[in-house]
Amino acid sequence: MAANVSAGNIHDFYLAGHVFRGQHSWSSRFTFRANSFKDLSWSSGVSKALKAERCGCYSRGVSAISESSKPCTSIRAVSVSSSTKYYDFTVIGSGVAGLRYALEVAKQGTVAVITKDEPHESNTNYAQGGVSAVLCPLDSVESHMHDTIVAGAHLCDEETVRVVCTEGPERIRELIAMGASFDHGEDGNLHLAREGGHSHRRIVHAADMTGREIERALLEAVLNDPNISVFKHHFAIDLLTSQDGLNTACHGVDTLNIKTNEVVRFISKVTLLASGGAGHIYPSTTNPLVATGDGMAMAHRAQAVISNMEFVQFHPTALADEGLPIKLQTARENAFLITEAVRGDGGILYNLGMERFMPGYDDRAELAPRDVVARSIDDQLKKRNEKYVLLDISHKQREKILAHFPNIASECLKHGLDITRQPIPVVPAAHYMCGGVRAGLQGETNVLGLFVAGEVACTGLHGANRLASNSLLEALVFARRAVHPSTELMKRTRLDLSASEKWTRPVVATARSLGDEVISKILALTKEVRRELQAVMWKYVGIVRSTTRLNTAEKKIAELEAKWETFLFEHGWEQTVVALEACEMRNLFCCAKLVVSSALARHESRGLHYTTDFPFVEESKRTPTIILPSSPTTASWSSRQLQDLSSSSLVDC
């Protein structure tokens, strides 16, 4: 029987075995209820609810962590062996959220920053436009809030929006103090750009390479901090968790050292998940190759609550390589982004018949929010049977174009296109996940000891559609807000240095264990299945959706996953066996299923989720989609935790 989920019974709800999709239908894959928490403020209500659960943890004495009457001291970074390391804090991800948090908590203890590739290879590094903040006297927090909520289709949590918009300017000033260099105008003040959805100029930027500049400044500070150790080429496999009744606690993470092919276990008092998004569930995305939804999938397997996964933002203007004069020799690993700021600076969208079309869709024309522009372009392409549209900025002064967009100009010129004289071919591409791991106002989750920040988190800021340049802002604000509760938890927690073997260790797939031929077949099938999954997601779960298409996607994904998993396990694979490609694939499957299930649950069109079966906004549906953890008995490999915990790794002081 369907029932509303309230703040106090979130754990009771899923453990009781109720499985909901919206009001009337059922799902064996996920336990969740769309449009739950109807009377609950996102930030204050959920935050209080999660804190209430934590208080229960402390008072009952969870086997993993309990409250101490005296503070614990910071530990020195300890390596019991090359395969086990102990830190006060573990940070998963090296984008703006992870690095900013690491720099602050390092003042209180030792920090391990785990990153899948090179430290700079993150979504932050690819962010072109900038960071939005109220820094002009003519602007106001209220105006920024209004723009954010309107862009988010009124699904944003107002308290979260107020916190982020209020604290944003100070976060920018901190970056500048740390050495980040942003563009200034002729008057000596910061040059503020304007982007779609914004009513004022409030975008702080470094030409069209803002993310790269912020990453540079933060990474330089991190590498110079003696309390921070950076572990590059370490892929996070699964979080280490323990269960005590209704409560789950996190104690660190297992990783795969991609270079040495060894499993390295990190045990820590506090874990921050800042692993970015899941753009590669789609065939074309502006995200780097590392964005395979690892954090969202790990958190889901670790019993964390997930929210709003149906809201996938497709950036309306990625470079359409098919329209370039000089064709690429090899396909890009990720789509090249044409920043929102091009439209903010006066760029005009045309179809291939050189007809300006945006005024026919929205009064704001090219400055409409991303969801509107992406759907408009999608409609033009389908109506005219064309593969791209044109974005023209050539009517602006050449010097200003080259000054504001040097990276875009340079990339286009490599392929014979001069953006100061010719329009840019563009097409929508998967860009940003507005949903993710549900977080309170301090980045806390329902899993004790696990905090989240950045794209992996769902804080309530973005609602149904992220306002341009609010992503870096959110990451900075929530990374900073997570510091105090993290350090307080760290101070009252002590690590058990003998705890390493209390979880089953993952086993790396090798030619010796499975055979060269089997490994080769598994890799080939995984690559093929990955492409098939991406094609299904683009065809059936793209910019415009329908119930029929979503049901088809669910069926096809289930069949594809079953085919892939059956092949693996028939060829000697086991639950604890790991390899980079296979682990990424299981995470992509997990995230794809989360998106589809969430989309099926929302019976309205709001923001980024547009369905032809429910084409209008329904006020009664203006609540977040909630996905609660799946039952271990019904979960596939992609949704099942690898480790089995026999007892605790953390003890009270």
Side-chain angles (χ1 to χ4, degrees), residues 269-588:
K269 301 174 181 180
V270 180
T271 301
L272 177 80
L273 194 56
S275 53
H280 281 276
I281 60 174
Y282 291 94
S284 178
T285 175
T286 60
N287 295 179
L289 276 176
V290 294
T292 52
D294 308 321
M296 294 166 184
M298 282 193 301
H300 175 66
R301 291 193 291 266
Q303 308 292 297
V305 176
I306 308 293
S307 192
N308 286 359
M309 288 293 285
E310 68 269 38
F311 299 118
V312 180
Q313 186 173 83
F314 292 86
H315 198 290
T317 55
L319 187 63
D321 293 329
E322 287 180 292
L324 293 171
I326 300 175
K327 307 302 180 187
L328 273 66
Q329 296 299 310
T330 56
R332 297 181 194 272
E333 293 178 340
N334 53 286
F336 184 80
L337 178 67
I338 305 298
T339 174
E340 192 101 12
V342 173
R343 284 183 286 122
D345 258 19
I348 298 172
L349 284 164
Y350 298 96
N351 58 35
L352 296 190
M354 291 311 293
E355 300 165 334
R356 185 183 183 188
F357 57 84
M358 275 310 301
Y361 291 96
D362 194 283
D363 290 341
R364 294 163 291 186
E366 283 79 12
L367 291 179
R370 289 177 178 177
D371 61 323
V372 176
V373 180
R375 275 197 303 276
S376 303
I377 293 174
D378 184 69
D379 187 56
Q380 284 286 305
L381 297 180
K382 288 173 179 174
K383 281 180 177 177
R384 297 174 58 85
N385 194 29
E386 294 172 348
K387 294 186 177 179
Y388 56 87
V389 296
L390 300 171
L391 176 60
D392 190 18
I393 191 72
S394 64
H395 51 280
K396 294 292 183 177
Q397 287 185 0
R398 175 182 173 85
E399 293 74 19
K400 287 189 175 180
I401 295 172
L402 295 177
H404 289 177
F405 310 114
N407 190 38
I408 294 171
S410 173
E411 181 63 26
C412 289
L413 203 57
K414 290 178 188 175
H415 307 288
L417 186 75
D418 181 356
I419 70 169
T420 68
R421 307 175 76 175
Q422 300 163 280
I424 307 167
V426 294
V427 68
H431 183 60
Y432 189 88
M433 304 295 293
C434 289
V437 185
R438 191 171 170 98
L441 269 178
Q442 294 180 306
E444 74 274 28
T445 72
N446 64 302
V447 177
L448 181 62
L450 179 67
F451 295 81
V452 289
E455 191 174 350
V456 72
C458 187
T459 66
L461 174 69
H462 306 310
N465 175 43
R466 175 174 70 82
L467 180 64
S469 290
N470 266 3
S471 55
L472 292 176
L473 178 71
E474 179 198 39
L476 287 165
V477 169
F478 273 88
R480 194 67 182 80
R481 290 184 71 83
V483 170
H484 178 71
S486 296
T487 54
E488 289 300 301
L489 180 58
M490 183 277 290
K491 288 174 184 176
R492 59 175 178 261
T493 305
R494 180 164 59 86
L495 290 175
D496 176 4
L497 299 184
S498 65
S500 173
E501 299 310 314
K502 293 180 180 178
W503 288 274
T504 302
R505 279 189 179 267
V507 178
V508 180
T510 62
R512 178 179 295 180
S513 60
L514 295 176
D516 285 326
E517 186 178 353
V518 169
I519 290 286
S520 179
K521 286 181 177 178
I522 287 174
L523 288 175
L525 179 64
T526 300
K527 186 178 290 186
E528 175 190 329
V529 166
R530 181 164 169 160
R531 285 196 297 266
E532 289 182 36
L533 174 67
Q534 291 170 333
V536 167
M537 290 298 289
W538 177 248
K539 184 174 182 179
Y540 300 104
V541 201
I543 295 171
V544 176
R545 302 162 178 175
S546 72
T547 302
T548 300
R549 292 215 287 261
L550 291 171
N551 281 326
T552 301
E554 187 172 56
K555 182 174 179 289
K556 286 182 176 292
I557 291 168
E559 291 171 351
L560 199 57
E561 183 182 33
K563 178 183 89 170
W564 179 69
E565 287 191 3
T566 298
F567 184 88
L568 262 63
F569 288 100
E570 284 181 349
H571 286 78
W573 203 271
E574 295 180 6
Q575 292 291 338
T576 55
V577 173
V578 296
L580 174 64
E581 294 84 358
C583 286
E584 283 188 331
M585 191 69 246
R586 77 193 282 251
N587 292 337
L588 289 168

Side-chain angles (χ1 to χ4, degrees), residues 600-619:
L600 278 165
R602 185 167 292 280
H603 293 174
E604 65 163 351
S605 288
R606 185 181 294 274
L608 298 163
H609 175 69
Y610 182 84
T611 170
T612 55
D613 294 296
F614 307 99
F616 304 110
V617 173
E618 296 285 347
E619 183 58 25

